[in-house]
Amino acid sequence: MFKKPSAIIYLTVALTMTILLTFVYRASSPEVPFVSYTQFKKWAGAGQVSHVLFRDNLIEIDLTEPLVVTAAGGQSQKAQTNVPNLDDPALFPLLETHGVVIESHPVEEGSGSYLLAFLPWILILGVYYWLMRRSIGGLGGRMNNELGGRRPFDFLSGSAHSDTGVRSKVTFEDVAGQDSAKKEVVELVQFLQTPEMYRKLGAEPPRGVLLMGPPGTGKTLLARALAGEAGVPFFSISASEFIEMFVGVGASRVRAMFEEAKKRAPSIIFIDELDSIGRIRGTGLGGGHDEREQTLNQILSELDGFSGHEAVIVLAATNRPDVLDPALLRPGRFDRHVTLELPDRDARLAILKVHTRKVPLASDVDLSAIAASTPGFSGADLKNLANEAAMSAARRGANDANMNDLDSMRDKVMMGTVRTLAVQPDERHRLAVHEAGHTAVAHHLPNADPLYKVTIIPRGRSLGGTHMLPDRERYTLPEDYLRDRLVVMLGGRVAEKLLLGTVSSGADDDIREATKLARAMVSRWGMDEDIGPVDVRQSDDHPFLGREIAQPRHFSDGTAEKVDQAVQALLKDSEERANALLIKHLNAVKRLVETLEKRETLDSKEIRICLDGGADVIALKPDHAHGKPTDP
Ligand code: ATP
């Protein structure tokens, strides 16, 4: 197996080349005979010198006739000599008077100067080499491992030089939940194991399978599990690694990878982040990138080039199927689509079990409570949570991870890391008022998500936060739920106005999110009576940049104005509802502000006690600080 050559080897090769070049250079320079200074003067005195050229102390001499005998025994009309560099003006006349032969030699030019002459070339070569290595870096890194090693410049030959495709050890057991996705790929295992059976019946084997789903839902994991179950080599690369600065390099890599996979068939090729090269072509959006298009074309032609006899399945993953070029999705290419969803409560529990297999857990750990309190978490988030909890236990020097480790790590993933900020008392008071506003409103609204925690400790990007956890998976959002959500969003600002008389910039995020939601309700979901069920959205998610851009408007100015008014009215109405609720429960809100300032963080139970006027929460011990979100 080819190992990465070290920098020392590169240096040795570069030096050897330099020395060789030095010798070649010297050998190719014609040798001009060297004569004594006295001889030169004699020729000059006899009128036999036609031309001299001074280079410091060196004189290059052109003679009128070939008077010099060369080392090889020939004759030359050229010679050179060196003028002695002595300060005593009396010396030369003295020597000449006595007929002494004067000779002088230039200081020998060491090979250092030759090396210096070649230095720019070495540097140019070095930079070129570095660029080349960078350009194959992606494959050089990942495919070194997975295709068994690539050497520099291999892409020029178009060969992947693979000697081992990775044999995946992952199986379907390692993929928790995602039952329907697993069901869809199970058939492929059989095809990879016994392709003849399918061919005998004239069945056209599947070529491309597109795995779609939000980040971290296990697309790569499922592809690996498929290879593991079928026991076939697994070739994997991220599509973004194909894109390099030299046009055509990506295409040559695609060719190399497909060639290698075909040689090792049955096998699986997995292309991650397909959307990075497979976006709709020719839109002008996202840049007309030649390299990207060539690479994409190469993938398409490789898929078309399957004769039907190769048992090679190409799996590709994307988070953005909506931006893919339709050419990729047509029959015969990535025509099988497998969707992976964010895990529901049961799947979250199953994923937590998979990732805590090797983590010793204390007896108080209730994984189902963690699963219940982590809606919206992906498989990757849950894996991270389990790992962070194990690390937290290790930091404590404990032998096992307890519920507190898991709880605090969940909060870290959900709310961000605790920050130490010197918040002034008046600002802290405003913060408590703001959060109490959100909390109180959420507590009293029938359709709001259950409260989980409220805090005025700066975490992540925010100074404080009111956190709610949905008690069930929601696939559609009902209007009354959305309306209550708007009221909760504006509750913080309304509380500031009510209790402090002024508002602050702290509501920036709330106002932005509330406006976005209200606009979607009015312009996309037909939730305004006057506007009705008409799609009047003014912008759309940008398919490539992942943000909104304005779309050409297909409705009148009058309608646009009506939409603006409806959005405004919806937000004003939400503000009024929040105001009415807070006035109704003003004493409880004040109690919550005071408690929050003293305790900084309150869980769902404490919030309930405080707002419903039960026991004095400040006096309560925070023994249930990591309370479950849906306590009865
Ligand atoms: P991306 O779109 O960001 O590339 P992905 O969908 O390919 O993400 P993976 O890389 O497969 O996600 O998953 C990330 C990590 O999350 C993996 O290490 C895997 O162990 C874990 N994970 C994700 N889903 C599951 C699952 N269903 N069961 C067990 N582990 C999972």
Side-chain angles (χ1 to χ4, degrees):
M1 181 117 158
F2 180 73
K3 290 213 177 72
K4 261 193 176 176
S6 68
I8 294 177
I9 297 179
Y10 290 136
L11 211 63
T12 316
V13 172
L15 270 175
T16 316
M17 278 177 68
T18 312
I19 290 165
L20 271 174
L21 283 169
T22 309
F23 278 118
V24 170
Y25 175 78
R26 295 192 76 172
S28 58
S29 323
E31 195 68 31
V32 179
F34 207 88
V35 296
S36 68
Y37 180 65
T38 309
Q39 178 62 62
F40 163 62
K41 284 186 74 176
K42 260 189 208 160
W43 282 334
Q48 287 168 312
V49 175
S50 63
H51 177 259
V52 286
L53 177 71
F54 287 86
R55 292 184 193 276
D56 284 337
N57 280 18
L58 182 81
I59 309 174
E60 289 179 12
I61 312 155
D62 282 341
L63 297 164
T64 50
E65 50 194 302
L67 297 169
V68 196
V69 179
T70 65
Q75 288 193 311
S76 170
Q77 214 167 319
K78 281 187 180 295
Q80 52 183 342
T81 191
N82 205 48
V83 184
N85 195 8
L86 290 171
D87 290 340
D88 182 359
L91 182 62
F92 283 103
L94 178 73
L95 294 172
E96 280 164 359
T97 314
H98 291 86
V100 177
V101 175
I102 305 168
E103 205 167 329
S104 166
H105 287 276
V107 176
E108 206 32 68
E109 276 192 51
S111 38
S113 58
Y114 289 99
L115 280 177
L116 269 181
F118 283 109
L119 200 62
W121 294 104
I122 298 169
L123 281 177
I124 290 169
L125 264 173
V127 170
Y128 177 72
Y129 185 72
W130 178 73
L131 284 175
M132 284 297 173
R133 276 198 60 80
R134 247 175 66 102
S135 79
I136 61 163
L139 235 53
R142 232 164 120 175
M143 288 180 67
N144 263 345
N145 300 330
E146 299 184 350
L147 287 182
R150 268 175 74 90
R151 270 145 260 199
F153 301 98
D154 269 0
F155 66 89
L156 296 175
S157 71
S159 151
H161 285 282
S162 156
D163 44 38
T164 51
V166 161
R167 297 265 170 189
S168 172
K169 291 196 184 94
V170 181
T171 65
F172 285 150
E173 264 197 22
D174 300 303
V175 187
Q178 305 296 2
D179 293 334
S180 56
K182 277 196 267 184
K183 223 178 274 169
E184 295 222 34
V185 296
V186 135
E187 183 204 6
L188 303 177
V189 175
Q190 208 177 3
F191 166 71
L192 287 165
Q193 284 172 339
T194 51
E196 320 77 41
M197 206 177 87
Y198 284 74
R199 273 182 217 129
K200 224 168 42 194
L201 295 170
E204 177 85 4
R207 291 181 186 174
V209 180
L210 187 62
L211 305 174
M212 309 181 289
T217 42
K219 297 180 289 294
T220 314
L221 185 71
L222 187 66
R224 281 188 189 282
L226 176 60
E229 289 282 339
V232 299
F234 182 70
F235 298 91
S236 140
I237 188 153
S238 169
S240 57
E241 291 175 39
F242 283 128
I243 309 298
E244 294 300 348
M245 67 188 295
F246 298 107
V247 175
V249 172
S252 105
R253 282 190 197 160
V254 171
R255 243 189 332 269
M257 188 163 81
F258 274 78
E259 248 171 49
E260 195 62 38
K262 280 188 219 167
K263 260 192 253 163
R264 314 267 322 270
S267 59
I268 286 180
I269 293 178
F270 175 65
I271 304 174
D272 205 359
E273 300 169 33
L274 184 66
D275 44 288
S276 64
I277 48 168
R279 294 172 196 155
I280 301 161
R281 290 169 292 182
T283 53
L285 290 167
H289 196 311
D290 276 352
E291 166 67 347
R292 188 169 68 75
E293 294 208 352
Q294 280 204 15
T295 309
L296 175 58
N297 288 343
Q298 189 62 40
I299 292 179
L300 294 180
S301 74
E302 292 291 344
L303 281 169
D304 292 343
F306 281 142
S307 63
H309 291 291
E310 301 94 343
V312 178
I313 291 183
V314 186
L315 295 172
T318 182
N319 307 329
R320 302 290 315 265
D322 51 322
V323 304
L324 288 182
D325 195 306
L328 270 169
L329 307 176
R330 76 156 175 72
R333 291 173 178 168
F334 291 102
D335 52 1
R336 285 205 181 196
H337 301 166
V338 176
T339 308
L340 287 94
E341 304 283 358
L342 281 174
D344 58 16
R345 185 192 286 225
D346 291 342
R348 289 197 296 272
L349 177 60
I351 295 172
L352 281 170
K353 281 184 180 159
V354 165
H355 292 292
T356 48
R357 272 185 207 149
K358 291 185 189 148
V359 181
L361 297 176
S363 54
D364 69 337
V365 170
D366 180 359
L367 286 183
S368 51
I370 298 288
S373 61
T374 45
F377 275 46
S378 66
D381 290 332
L382 294 165
K383 180 185 180 183
N384 185 25
L385 194 161
N387 185 49
E388 289 279 350
M391 303 243 302
S392 151
R395 276 195 297 272
R396 281 190 299 115
N399 293 326
D400 47 24
N402 61 22
M403 195 62 179
N404 196 32
D405 292 319
L406 284 154
D407 265 332
S408 49
M409 288 309 129
R410 180 216 18 233
D411 287 358
K412 189 173 153 191
V413 177
M414 260 175 61
M415 311 184 213
T417 320
V418 173
R419 281 188 298 157
T420 38
L421 274 184
V423 181
Q424 296 304 313
D426 57 334
E427 230 177 320
R428 198 164 173 274
H429 179 60
R430 185 177 283 276
L431 205 58
V433 168
H434 186 98
E435 297 311 330
H438 285 305
T439 308
V441 169
H443 180 71
H444 291 291
L445 282 171
N447 302 302
D449 285 326
L451 282 154
Y452 168 54
K453 258 179 199 179
V454 55
T455 179
I456 54 165
I457 299 175
R459 289 188 87 126
R461 281 177 49 242
S462 54
L463 290 174
T466 302
H467 299 275
M468 292 179 285
L469 282 176
D471 48 357
R472 61 197 171 94
E473 316 300 325
R474 284 188 191 273
Y475 302 102
T476 53
L477 304 169
E479 187 180 339
D480 46 5
Y481 170 79
L482 292 171
R483 283 183 183 273
D484 281 4
R485 195 145 139 181
L486 283 179
V487 182
V488 175
M489 282 177 180
L490 297 176
R493 183 186 128 90
V494 172
E496 281 187 59
K497 217 160 142 185
L498 207 61
L499 294 180
L500 304 172
T502 55
V503 290
S504 72
S505 64
D508 181 28
D509 258 4
D510 298 335
I511 293 177
R512 193 179 51 238
E513 288 305 311
T515 310
K516 211 165 130 188
L517 178 58
R519 191 165 284 280
M521 288 168 71
V522 171
S523 64
R524 293 168 61 186
W525 304 328
M527 290 178 184
D528 182 82
E529 281 302 318
D530 287 344
I531 304 288
V534 192
D535 182 351
V536 282
R537 70 187 90 187
Q538 289 180 352
S539 61
D540 219 338
D541 279 350
H542 189 295
F544 305 136
L545 303 177
R547 60 182 158 89
E548 290 196 339
I549 56 162
Q551 295 288 321
R553 222 174 57 191
H554 45 267
F555 47 87
S556 68
D557 284 352
T559 312
E561 208 178 314
K562 266 198 200 166
V563 171
D564 289 344
Q565 281 165 1
V567 170
Q568 215 170 6
L570 187 53
L571 290 170
K572 286 255 180 211
D573 176 60
S574 307
E575 200 177 36
E576 272 160 30
R577 282 181 65 203
N579 198 43
L581 263 177
L582 291 177
I583 289 177
K584 189 172 169 198
H585 301 283
L586 200 56
N587 283 339
V589 176
K590 284 182 181 164
R591 200 164 50 235
L592 183 62
V593 173
E594 194 190 334
T595 314
L596 204 48
E597 277 187 278
K598 292 202 169 117
R599 291 280 299 277
E600 296 192 318
T601 300
L602 301 176
D603 66 20
S604 57
K605 192 171 170 186
E606 289 163 334
I607 294 168
R608 209 170 35 244
I609 294 170
C610 189
L611 285 173
D612 293 344
D616 180 6
V617 175
I618 301 168
L620 272 184
K621 268 211 300 186
D623 54 355
H624 44 261
H626 31 272
K628 286 145 207 143
T630 51
D631 291 345

